[in-house]
Amino acid sequence: MSCNAGRTLLLAGLFAVALGPDAALAQRRARVFSVEVMPTEAMIVVGQQQVFVPVAYDRANNPVATATFTFTSSNPRVATVTAEGIATGVSPGTVTITARAGTGAAAKSAVAVLTVLAEQLLAAMQRGGRWDLYTFGPDSAPRFSAVTADATLELEPAWSPDLTRIAYVALERHGPGSLDLFVVNADGSEARRVTNDSATVGSPVFVRPAGDRIVFQSNKGGVTQLYVVNLDGSGRRQLTTGPNPNLQPDVSSDGSSLLFASLRQAAGGRRNFDIWQMNVDGTGERRLTSSPRAEDSPQFAPDGRSFYFLRDEGGSPPTKRLYRQSLTDTAAVAQAITPVGMHVRAYSVSADGNLIVLTVLEPAGRVGDVPRVVLFEPASGRMTPVLVGPGEQLTAPVFRPATPAPH
């Protein structure tokens, strides 16, 4: 239950104690003129509860202690509410909770806005022989909540900016044999195919802040390039061209620019992956990194003035480290975030920048390297493994974006 719930119940108790016998008798004879509900705005995570306490007033603005109320939710798929005013988050979204006193034309009501947030992390997980999408909290032994539950192989999920939709790539059992792009509501309902061809797509990311388009990579023309498409599959347009693969896009918080990895010729004749930036319409390309090592998986940092990426440093044991570099200071040196000897395959940074979830490769005897998920605190260097059950595998979790404001 949220902390607001306890304070609201305390206020309700004090209000009841303050009513003397004479006041109660007068209020039983009063008619309800207006209704208030506390709190007027609240925010919880899926699975949490929030108590809403209504108060009725007569025409003289005196509390009517004998008033009885009914509660309704504008969308029970996002949040349900009991007869006692206890709301429970079901899936991400925003609802209005209405408290009503009386019936018919004489009824009076008040509304509160409840925003339900998803758990902080979203990932593809192999469980029970299937790959489905799950949400979970940043804990060592989290509770996993299924978003999808079907025979489709689902990977690489990405949150929409308002947390109401999820983009992902999937391979349908009886489909064309390639990964296509899909969008689903955050509660797992109404999955919609966005692409439908023989090309394999990947790395979807919503164009912020509107979330009405998705940038993704596809090898439709034989070479992996970046594309943008509307959520209904219309308006598909290629953003990058040429003989070199361009992949792993990320979109800035204002939706104006893209980061991506590109395999191109550099000074000295070498050819490996570097990090590039361009406008979201495909213009204005500029190289951001130029080390002799391959670099990939760029992501904008929460501050908007720097970015993260992975650099393959080789060695024994093989090292692939997470780095952070300025977007504006071209003379700044990239700063290593993870230690030598760790092979980071994927990562995601929390909205406040204080926690990073890493997918790392670790040796596991005869089966070779296997992916493990750990929670990393950059300030302290502390690492906490995320535990899964026997035979289960968790891959490339992503943090939800910054919390949208209630509306």
Side-chain angles (χ1 to χ4, degrees):
M1 187 175 294
S2 70
C3 61
N4 286 336
R7 289 196 296 268
T8 304
L9 285 174
L10 177 61
L11 288 172
L14 292 174
F15 169 75
V17 170
L19 293 175
D22 294 339
L25 178 61
Q27 287 159 356
R28 282 196 296 269
R29 297 170 180 169
R31 296 186 62 182
V32 174
F33 181 74
S34 64
V35 171
E36 291 182 355
V37 64
M38 300 180 294
T40 57
E41 288 189 357
M43 191 174 291
I44 59 175
V45 173
V46 170
Q48 285 186 337
Q49 293 182 327
Q50 171 67 50
V51 177
F52 291 96
V53 176
V55 180
Y57 298 92
D58 63 16
R59 188 175 293 274
N61 208 35
N62 297 312
V64 181
T66 56
T68 58
F69 297 90
T70 58
F71 288 88
T72 56
S73 166
S74 63
N75 188 351
R77 291 174 62 178
V78 173
T80 59
V81 63
T82 68
E84 293 77 28
I86 303 173
T88 302
V90 177
S91 66
T94 300
V95 297
T96 55
I97 302 296
T98 301
R100 185 183 303 273
T103 59
K108 304 295 180 182
S109 62
V111 299
V113 177
L114 177 63
T115 299
V116 181
L117 302 177
E119 287 282 11
Q120 289 194 45
L121 290 160
L122 169 68
M125 183 177 183
Q126 185 182 40
R127 173 179 272 187
R130 297 195 316 239
W131 281 95
D132 288 307
L133 305 183
Y134 290 82
T135 59
F136 60 101
D139 303 305
S140 61
R143 178 181 64 89
F144 294 97
S145 299
V147 177
T148 60
D150 51 46
T152 303
L153 172 67
E154 295 145 346
L155 301 167
E156 300 186 22
W159 285 112
S160 66
D162 64 359
L163 306 179
T164 62
R165 293 180 296 273
I166 296 169
Y168 61 98
V169 297
L171 177 64
E172 292 189 314
R173 174 174 292 182
H174 303 296
S178 58
L179 291 168
D180 273 306
L181 178 61
F182 287 76
V183 173
V184 68
N185 292 337
D187 63 359
S189 65
E190 300 180 13
R192 302 172 294 283
R193 183 191 292 269
V194 180
T195 64
N196 189 6
D197 49 42
S198 58
T200 293
V201 305
S203 299
V205 57
F206 284 88
V207 177
R208 309 174 181 98
D212 55 350
R213 294 177 294 161
I214 296 173
V215 176
F216 63 99
Q217 67 186 47
S218 172
N219 64 357
K220 185 174 183 179
V223 177
T224 301
Q225 301 290 355
L226 303 183
Y227 295 79
V228 64
V229 68
N230 297 328
L231 299 190
D232 62 0
S234 66
R236 179 167 170 169
R237 186 167 64 86
Q238 189 168 336
L239 298 176
T240 56
T241 58
N244 307 302
N246 299 284
L247 40 81
Q248 299 174 331
D250 191 37
V251 181
S252 61
S253 60
D254 63 0
S256 65
S257 64
L258 288 172
L259 296 176
F260 61 101
S262 183
L263 180 63
R264 305 188 190 186
Q265 191 93 5
R270 69 174 182 84
R271 188 171 181 264
N272 70 353
F273 278 101
D274 289 308
I275 308 304
W276 289 68
Q277 184 180 22
M278 69 178 179
N279 298 324
V280 77
D281 63 2
T283 63
E285 289 186 352
R286 70 182 183 113
R287 187 193 298 268
L288 296 179
T289 64
S290 56
S291 83
R293 296 290 186 177
E295 295 153 334
D296 57 44
S297 307
Q299 293 181 25
F300 286 95
D303 65 8
R305 300 186 300 273
S306 57
F307 68 99
Y308 294 91
F309 64 93
L310 297 178
R311 177 180 290 167
D312 192 343
E313 298 183 346
S316 181
T319 295
K320 191 170 186 178
R321 302 175 76 184
L322 178 64
Y323 280 79
R324 185 172 183 173
Q325 180 173 315
S326 173
L327 277 168
T328 56
D329 185 356
T330 56
V333 177
Q335 301 296 314
I337 305 298
T338 53
V340 173
M342 174 176 285
H343 192 286
V344 181
R345 192 169 77 171
Y347 69 96
S348 179
V349 183
S350 64
D352 61 10
N354 294 329
L355 190 62
I356 303 175
V357 59
L358 305 172
T359 302
V360 299
L361 291 181
E362 297 181 348
R366 295 181 179 180
V367 299
D369 293 341
V370 296
R372 308 289 189 196
V373 174
V374 297
L375 300 169
F376 175 59
E377 300 175 24
S380 65
R382 179 184 177 188
M383 296 206 184
T384 304
V386 177
L387 304 179
V388 296
E392 297 178 344
Q393 183 176 329
L394 188 65
T395 181
V398 293
F399 276 103
R400 70 183 183 217
T403 301
H407 59 278

